[in-house]
Coordinates of all heavy atoms in Angstrom, one line a residue:
M1 N 24.4 75.4 -33.2 CA 23.5 74.3 -32.9 C 22.3 74.5 -33.8 O 21.7 75.5 -33.9 CB 23.2 74.4 -31.4 CG 22.2 73.3 -31.0 SD 21.7 73.4 -29.3 CE 23.1 72.8 -28.5
A2 N 21.9 73.4 -34.4 CA 20.7 73.4 -35.2 C 19.5 72.9 -34.5 O 19.6 72.0 -33.7 CB 20.9 72.5 -36.5
Y3 N 18.4 73.5 -34.7 CA 17.1 73.0 -34.1 C 16.2 72.4 -35.2 O 16.1 73.0 -36.3 CB 16.4 74.2 -33.4 CG 17.2 74.7 -32.3 CD1 18.0 75.8 -32.3 CD2 17.0 74.1 -31.0 CE1 18.7 76.3 -31.3 CE2 17.7 74.6 -29.9 CZ 18.5 75.6 -30.0 OH 19.2 76.1 -29.0
R4 N 15.7 71.3 -34.9 CA 14.9 70.5 -35.8 C 13.4 71.0 -35.7 O 12.9 71.1 -34.6 CB 14.9 69.1 -35.6 CG 14.1 68.3 -36.6 CD 14.1 66.8 -36.2 NE 15.4 66.2 -36.6 CZ 15.7 65.0 -36.6 NH1 14.8 64.1 -36.1 NH2 16.8 64.5 -36.9
R5 N 12.8 71.4 -36.8 CA 11.4 71.9 -36.8 C 10.6 70.8 -37.4 O 11.0 70.0 -38.2 CB 11.3 73.2 -37.5 CG 12.2 74.2 -37.0 CD 11.6 75.6 -37.2 NE 12.5 76.6 -36.8 CZ 12.2 77.4 -35.7 NH1 11.1 77.3 -35.1 NH2 13.1 78.3 -35.4
G6 N 9.3 70.8 -37.0 CA 8.4 69.8 -37.5 C 8.3 68.6 -36.6 O 9.0 68.4 -35.6
P7 N 7.4 67.7 -37.0 CA 7.2 66.5 -36.1 C 8.3 65.5 -36.2 O 9.0 65.3 -37.2 CB 5.9 65.9 -36.8 CG 5.9 66.4 -38.2 CD 6.6 67.7 -38.2
Q8 N 8.6 65.0 -35.0 CA 9.7 64.0 -34.9 C 9.1 62.6 -35.0 O 8.0 62.4 -34.6 CB 10.5 64.1 -33.6 CG 11.3 65.4 -33.5 CD 12.0 65.4 -32.2 OE1 11.8 64.7 -31.3 NE2 13.0 66.3 -32.2
E9 N 9.9 61.7 -35.5 CA 9.5 60.3 -35.6 C 9.3 59.7 -34.3 O 10.1 59.8 -33.4 CB 10.6 59.5 -36.4 CG 10.1 58.7 -37.5 CD 11.3 58.0 -38.2 OE1 11.6 56.9 -37.8 OE2 11.8 58.6 -39.1
P10 N 8.2 58.9 -34.0 CA 8.0 58.3 -32.7 C 9.0 57.1 -32.5 O 9.4 56.4 -33.5 CB 6.6 57.7 -32.8 CG 6.3 57.6 -34.2 CD 7.1 58.7 -34.9
V11 N 9.5 57.0 -31.3 CA 10.5 55.9 -31.0 C 9.7 54.6 -30.7 O 8.9 54.6 -29.8 CB 11.4 56.3 -29.8 CG1 12.3 55.2 -29.4 CG2 12.1 57.6 -30.0
P12 N 10.0 53.6 -31.4 CA 9.3 52.3 -31.2 C 9.7 51.7 -29.8 O 10.8 51.8 -29.4 CB 9.7 51.4 -32.3 CG 11.0 51.9 -32.8 CD 10.9 53.4 -32.5
E13 N 8.6 51.2 -29.1 CA 8.9 50.7 -27.7 C 8.3 49.3 -27.7 O 7.4 48.9 -28.4 CB 8.2 51.6 -26.7 CG 8.8 52.9 -26.5 CD 8.1 53.7 -25.5 OE1 6.9 53.4 -25.2 OE2 8.7 54.6 -25.0
E14 N 8.9 48.4 -26.8 CA 8.4 47.1 -26.6 C 8.6 46.6 -25.1 O 9.4 47.2 -24.5 CB 9.0 46.1 -27.5 CG 10.5 45.9 -27.3 CD 11.1 44.9 -28.2 OE1 10.5 44.4 -29.2 OE2 12.3 44.6 -28.0
E15 N 7.9 45.7 -24.7 CA 8.1 45.1 -23.4 C 9.4 44.4 -23.4 O 9.7 43.6 -24.3 CB 6.9 44.2 -23.0 CG 5.7 44.9 -22.6 CD 4.7 43.9 -22.0 OE1 5.0 42.8 -21.7 OE2 3.6 44.4 -21.7
T16 N 10.2 44.7 -22.4 CA 11.6 44.1 -22.3 C 11.8 43.6 -20.9 O 11.4 44.2 -19.9 CB 12.6 45.3 -22.6 OG1 12.3 45.9 -23.8 CG2 14.0 44.7 -22.6
I17 N 12.5 42.5 -20.8 CA 12.8 41.9 -19.5 C 14.1 42.6 -19.0 O 15.1 42.7 -19.8 CB 13.1 40.4 -19.6 CG1 11.8 39.7 -20.1 CG2 13.6 39.8 -18.3 CD1 11.9 38.2 -20.4
V18 N 14.0 43.1 -17.8 CA 15.2 43.8 -17.2 C 15.5 43.1 -15.8 O 14.6 42.5 -15.2 CB 14.9 45.3 -17.0 CG1 14.7 45.9 -18.4 CG2 13.8 45.5 -16.1
W19 N 16.7 43.4 -15.3 CA 17.0 43.0 -14.0 C 17.0 44.3 -13.2 O 17.7 45.3 -13.6 CB 18.4 42.4 -13.9 CG 18.5 41.0 -14.5 CD1 18.8 40.7 -15.7 CD2 18.2 39.8 -13.8 NE1 18.7 39.3 -15.8 CE2 18.4 38.8 -14.6 CE3 17.8 39.6 -12.4 CZ2 18.1 37.5 -14.3 CZ3 17.6 38.2 -12.1 CH2 17.8 37.2 -13.0
S20 N 16.3 44.4 -12.1 CA 16.2 45.6 -11.3 C 16.7 45.3 -9.9 O 16.5 44.2 -9.3 CB 14.7 46.0 -11.2 OG 14.5 47.1 -10.4
C21 N 17.4 46.3 -9.3 CA 18.0 46.1 -7.9 C 16.9 46.0 -6.9 O 15.9 46.8 -7.0 CB 18.9 47.3 -7.7 SG 19.8 47.1 -6.1
T22 N 17.1 45.2 -5.9 CA 16.1 45.0 -4.8 C 16.2 46.0 -3.7 O 15.4 46.2 -2.9 CB 16.1 43.6 -4.3 OG1 17.4 43.4 -3.8 CG2 15.8 42.5 -5.3
N23 N 17.3 46.7 -3.7 CA 17.6 47.7 -2.7 C 16.8 49.0 -3.0 O 16.9 49.5 -4.1 CB 19.1 48.1 -2.6 CG 19.5 49.1 -1.5 OD1 18.6 49.6 -0.9 ND2 20.8 49.2 -1.4
E24 N 15.9 49.4 -2.1 CA 15.0 50.6 -2.3 C 15.8 51.9 -2.6 O 15.3 52.8 -3.2 CB 14.0 50.7 -1.2 CG 13.1 49.6 -1.1 CD 12.0 49.8 0.0 OE1 11.9 50.9 0.5 OE2 11.3 48.8 0.4
Q25 N 17.0 52.0 -2.0 CA 17.7 53.3 -2.2 C 18.5 53.3 -3.5 O 19.0 54.3 -3.9 CB 18.7 53.5 -1.0 CG 18.1 53.9 0.3 CD 17.4 52.8 1.0 OE1 17.9 51.7 1.0 NE2 16.3 53.1 1.7
C26 N 18.6 52.2 -4.2 CA 19.3 52.1 -5.4 C 18.3 52.0 -6.6 O 17.3 51.3 -6.6 CB 20.2 50.8 -5.4 SG 21.2 50.6 -6.9
S27 N 18.6 52.7 -7.7 CA 17.7 52.8 -8.8 C 18.3 52.0 -10.0 O 17.9 52.2 -11.2 CB 17.4 54.2 -9.2 OG 18.6 54.9 -9.5
C28 N 19.3 51.2 -9.8 CA 20.0 50.5 -10.9 C 19.2 49.4 -11.5 O 18.5 48.7 -10.9 CB 21.3 49.9 -10.3 SG 22.4 49.1 -11.6
W29 N 19.3 49.3 -12.9 CA 18.6 48.3 -13.6 C 19.4 48.0 -14.9 O 20.1 48.9 -15.3 CB 17.1 48.5 -13.9 CG 16.9 49.8 -14.7 CD1 16.8 51.0 -14.2 CD2 16.8 49.8 -16.1 NE1 16.6 51.9 -15.3 CE2 16.6 51.2 -16.5 CE3 16.8 48.9 -17.1 CZ2 16.4 51.6 -17.8 CZ3 16.7 49.3 -18.5 CH2 16.5 50.6 -18.8
M30 N 19.2 46.8 -15.5 CA 19.9 46.6 -16.8 C 19.0 45.6 -17.6 O 18.2 44.9 -17.1 CB 21.2 46.0 -16.6 CG 21.3 44.6 -16.1 SD 23.0 44.0 -15.9 CE 23.3 44.3 -14.2
R31 N 19.1 45.7 -18.9 CA 18.4 44.9 -19.8 C 18.9 43.4 -19.6 O 20.1 43.3 -19.5 CB 18.5 45.3 -21.2 CG 17.8 46.6 -21.5 CD 18.1 47.1 -23.0 NE 17.6 48.4 -23.2 CZ 16.5 48.6 -24.0 NH1 15.8 47.7 -24.5 NH2 16.1 49.8 -24.1
D32 N 18.0 42.5 -19.8 CA 18.4 41.1 -19.7 C 19.4 40.7 -20.8 O 20.3 39.9 -20.5 CB 17.2 40.2 -19.7 CG 17.5 38.7 -19.5 OD1 18.2 38.4 -18.5 OD2 17.1 37.9 -20.3
A33 N 19.3 41.3 -21.9 CA 20.2 41.0 -23.1 C 21.6 41.4 -22.7 O 22.6 41.0 -23.3 CB 19.7 41.7 -24.3
F34 N 21.8 42.4 -21.8 CA 23.1 42.9 -21.5 C 23.7 42.3 -20.2 O 24.8 42.6 -19.8 CB 23.2 44.4 -21.3 CG 22.8 45.1 -22.6 CD1 21.9 46.2 -22.6 CD2 23.3 44.7 -23.8 CE1 21.6 46.9 -23.8 CE2 22.9 45.3 -25.0 CZ 22.1 46.4 -25.0
S35 N 23.0 41.3 -19.6 CA 23.5 40.7 -18.4 C 24.2 39.4 -18.8 O 23.8 38.7 -19.7 CB 22.4 40.4 -17.3 OG 21.5 39.4 -17.8
S36 N 25.2 39.0 -18.0 CA 25.9 37.8 -18.4 C 25.6 36.6 -17.5 O 26.1 35.5 -17.7 CB 27.4 38.1 -18.2 OG 27.7 38.5 -16.9
E37 N 24.7 36.8 -16.5 CA 24.4 35.7 -15.6 C 22.9 35.6 -15.4 O 22.2 36.6 -15.7 CB 25.0 35.9 -14.2 CG 26.5 36.0 -14.2 CD 27.1 36.3 -12.9 OE1 26.4 36.2 -11.9 OE2 28.3 36.8 -12.8
N38 N 22.4 34.4 -14.9 CA 21.0 34.3 -14.6 C 20.6 35.1 -13.4 O 19.5 35.8 -13.4 CB 20.6 32.8 -14.4 CG 20.3 32.1 -15.7 OD1 20.2 32.8 -16.8 ND2 20.3 30.8 -15.6
K39 N 21.3 35.1 -12.4 CA 21.1 35.8 -11.2 C 22.2 36.8 -11.0 O 23.3 36.4 -10.8 CB 21.0 34.9 -10.0 CG 20.3 35.5 -8.8 CD 19.9 34.4 -7.8 CE 18.7 35.0 -7.0 NZ 18.2 34.1 -6.1
T40 N 21.9 38.0 -11.1 CA 22.9 39.1 -11.1 C 23.0 39.8 -9.8 O 22.1 39.8 -9.0 CB 22.7 40.1 -12.3 OG1 21.4 40.7 -12.0 CG2 22.7 39.5 -13.6
I41 N 24.1 40.4 -9.6 CA 24.4 41.3 -8.4 C 24.5 42.7 -8.9 O 25.1 43.0 -10.0 CB 25.7 40.9 -7.8 CG1 25.7 39.4 -7.3 CG2 26.0 41.8 -6.6 CD1 24.8 39.0 -6.2
C42 N 23.9 43.6 -8.2 CA 23.9 45.0 -8.6 C 25.3 45.5 -8.7 O 26.1 45.4 -7.7 CB 23.1 45.8 -7.6 SG 23.1 47.6 -8.0
P43 N 25.7 46.1 -9.8 CA 27.1 46.7 -9.9 C 27.3 47.9 -9.1 O 28.4 48.3 -8.8 CB 27.2 47.0 -11.4 CG 25.9 47.1 -11.9 CD 25.0 46.3 -11.0
I44 N 26.2 48.6 -8.6 CA 26.3 49.8 -7.8 C 26.4 49.5 -6.3 O 27.3 49.9 -5.7 CB 25.1 50.7 -8.1 CG1 25.0 51.0 -9.6 CG2 25.3 52.1 -7.3 CD1 26.1 51.7 -10.3
C45 N 25.4 48.7 -5.8 CA 25.4 48.6 -4.3 C 25.6 47.1 -3.9 O 25.6 46.8 -2.7 CB 24.0 49.1 -3.8 SG 22.6 48.0 -4.3
K46 N 25.8 46.2 -4.8 CA 26.1 44.8 -4.6 C 24.9 44.1 -3.9 O 25.1 43.0 -3.4 CB 27.3 44.6 -3.7 CG 28.6 45.4 -4.1 CD 29.0 44.9 -5.5 CE 30.3 45.6 -5.9 NZ 30.4 45.8 -7.3
S47 N 23.7 44.6 -4.1 CA 22.5 43.8 -3.6 C 22.0 42.8 -4.7 O 22.5 43.0 -5.9 CB 21.3 44.8 -3.3 OG 21.7 45.7 -2.3
E48 N 21.1 42.0 -4.4 CA 20.6 41.1 -5.4 C 19.7 41.9 -6.4 O 19.1 42.9 -6.0 CB 19.8 40.0 -4.7 CG 20.6 38.9 -4.1 CD 19.8 37.7 -3.7 OE1 18.8 37.4 -4.4 OE2 20.2 37.0 -2.8
M49 N 19.5 41.3 -7.6 CA 18.6 41.9 -8.5 C 17.6 40.9 -8.9 O 17.8 39.7 -8.8 CB 19.4 42.3 -9.8 CG 20.5 43.4 -9.5 SD 21.4 44.0 -10.9 CE 20.3 45.2 -11.5
E50 N 16.4 41.4 -9.3 CA 15.3 40.5 -9.7 C 14.8 40.9 -11.0 O 14.9 42.0 -11.4 CB 14.1 40.5 -8.6 CG 13.5 41.9 -8.5 CD 12.4 41.9 -7.4 OE1 12.4 41.0 -6.6 OE2 11.7 42.9 -7.3
Q51 N 14.2 39.9 -11.7 CA 13.7 40.2 -13.1 C 12.3 40.9 -13.0 O 11.5 40.6 -12.1 CB 13.5 38.9 -13.9 CG 14.7 38.5 -14.6 CD 14.4 37.3 -15.6 OE1 13.5 36.5 -15.3 NE2 15.2 37.2 -16.6
E52 N 12.1 41.8 -14.0 CA 10.8 42.4 -14.2 C 10.7 42.8 -15.6 O 11.7 42.7 -16.3 CB 10.6 43.6 -13.2 CG 11.6 44.7 -13.4 CD 11.4 45.9 -12.4 OE1 11.2 45.7 -11.2 OE2 11.4 47.0 -12.9
T53 N 9.5 43.3 -16.0 CA 9.2 43.7 -17.3 C 9.0 45.2 -17.4 O 8.2 45.7 -16.6 CB 8.0 43.0 -17.9 OG1 8.3 41.6 -17.8 CG2 7.8 43.3 -19.4
R54 N 9.6 45.9 -18.3 CA 9.4 47.3 -18.5 C 9.2 47.6 -20.0 O 9.6 46.9 -20.9 CB 10.6 48.2 -18.1 CG 10.9 48.1 -16.6 CD 12.0 49.0 -16.3 NE 12.3 48.9 -14.8 CZ 13.1 49.7 -14.2 NH1 13.7 50.7 -14.8 NH2 13.3 49.5 -12.9
V55 N 8.5 48.7 -20.3 CA 8.3 49.1 -21.7 C 9.4 50.1 -22.0 O 9.5 51.2 -21.4 CB 6.9 49.7 -21.9 CG1 6.8 50.2 -23.4 CG2 5.8 48.7 -21.6
L56 N 10.3 49.7 -22.9 CA 11.5 50.5 -23.2 C 11.7 50.7 -24.7 O 11.1 49.9 -25.5 CB 12.8 49.8 -22.7 CG 12.9 49.5 -21.2 CD1 14.1 48.7 -20.9 CD2 12.9 50.8 -20.4
P57 N 12.4 51.7 -25.1 CA 12.7 51.9 -26.6 C 13.5 50.7 -27.1 O 14.3 50.1 -26.4 CB 13.6 53.1 -26.6 CG 13.3 53.9 -25.4 CD 13.0 52.8 -24.3
V58 N 13.2 50.4 -28.3 CA 13.8 49.2 -29.0 C 15.3 49.6 -29.4 O 15.5 50.7 -29.9 CB 13.1 48.8 -30.3 CG1 13.8 47.7 -31.0 CG2 11.6 48.4 -29.9
I59 N 16.2 48.7 -29.0 CA 17.6 48.9 -29.4 C 17.9 47.9 -30.6 O 17.7 46.7 -30.5 CB 18.5 48.6 -28.2 CG1 18.3 49.6 -27.2 CG2 20.0 48.6 -28.7 CD1 19.2 49.4 -26.0
T60 N 18.4 48.4 -31.6 CA 18.7 47.6 -32.8 C 20.2 47.2 -32.9 O 21.0 47.8 -32.4 CB 18.3 48.3 -34.1 OG1 18.9 49.5 -34.2 CG2 16.8 48.4 -34.1

């Protein structure tokens, strides 16, 4: 296993719209770009999901 020495490049981040589960016991969320519907159902607990904004690493 190789270890990288020296400073690492910072990961660019941006505000991203995500769908977050409304069930307090569930921590499921997904990026809006990866959802197929306007109003989604949580794939884990089947509760409703609501839109929110998070600062996440940029996916290219």
Side-chain angles (χ1 to χ4, degrees):
M1 179 185 281
Y3 292 96
R4 183 184 283 189
R5 301 209 184 247
Q8 291 185 343
E9 230 178 88
V11 177
E13 295 181 335
E14 68 179 6
E15 284 192 7
T16 306
I17 298 173
V18 298
W19 287 95
S20 181
C21 184
T22 57
N23 185 351
E24 291 182 16
Q25 285 78 35
C26 183
S27 60
C28 184
W29 61 273
M30 71 178 94
R31 292 175 187 252
D32 184 51
F34 298 137
S35 69
S36 59
E37 302 175 14
N38 276 347
K39 198 163 201 177
T40 58
I41 302 292
C42 177
I44 306 297
C45 70
K46 308 301 182 210
S47 297
E48 285 192 28
M49 299 182 86
E50 62 184 12
Q51 271 190 333
E52 63 180 46
T53 302
R54 295 185 183 191
V55 178
L56 300 172
V58 176
I59 295 180
T60 55

